[in-house]
Amino acid sequence: MNAISRRLLFRIGTVGFCINLNELIEIREQITERIDFEQGNQPQSVIGTVSFRGGQIPVVSLAERLGISPVAQDVALVLHSSEETWALLVDRVEGFGSVSAMIDRPVPTLLRAEGWRCFEQITIYAGATFLRLDLLSCYAGGAE
């Protein structure tokens, strides 16, 4: 099974999220102490930067923007989008799932914040619900 047919499942607080596995570069644990918080940009949810492969990449936290109470946020998913490489803070990684075992549904209008979106579908997997992130919108601030 290749990366395109799998998704990474993770949580921020009690909310489940998923991304396509081909969007993931690596998972870093115990990241909080390595973040330079002086480089933050709150309007875009960028809280700082972290060293990655000889450079600095932005670190994004969606918890406050989505109104979620994070638990620990000491895990970072290093991601790539069409814009650049960046890191997303999460509470915990739950594992990987096969796309063929998932049911995707559109996001109900009620769950779409006006003027901003960061998830594109609701995914049901093994009886649990996950929001599938739109990484470009998450990183860019999600302007519609």
Side-chain angles (χ1 to χ4, degrees), residues 26-89:
E26 70 180 51
I27 299 170
R28 290 197 162 182
E29 296 179 336
Q30 300 175 340
I31 193 78
T32 307
E33 61 200 35
R34 293 182 254 163
I35 298 173
D36 178 1
F37 291 99
E38 293 182 18
Q39 301 298 318
N41 178 358
Q42 290 302 320
Q44 288 188 324
S45 303
V46 175
I47 62 161
T49 62
V50 68
S51 177
F52 180 73
R53 297 184 183 171
Q56 293 290 111
I57 61 171
V59 178
V60 173
S61 175
L62 295 178
E64 184 177 327
R65 185 83 189 254
L66 295 175
I68 299 171
S69 297
V71 177
Q73 291 212 312
D74 200 27
V75 176
L77 307 178
V78 178
L79 307 166
H80 66 86
S81 66
S82 60
E83 296 295 312
E84 66 179 293
T85 300
W86 55 285
L88 175 65
L89 284 182

Side-chain angles (χ1 to χ4, degrees), residues 79-125:
L79 307 166
H80 66 86
S81 66
S82 60
E83 296 295 312
E84 66 179 293
T85 300
W86 55 285
L88 175 65
L89 284 182
V90 303
D91 287 319
R92 75 176 186 275
V93 172
E94 292 202 349
F96 304 94
S98 169
V99 171
S100 63
M102 297 180 178
I103 300 169
D104 292 329
R105 299 284 185 241
V107 176
T109 306
L110 180 64
L111 294 179
R112 294 183 192 167
E114 188 173 316
W116 190 68
R117 63 173 174 78
C118 77
F119 40 89
E120 57 191 5
Q121 289 183 324
I122 293 176
T123 297
I124 301 166
Y125 177 71

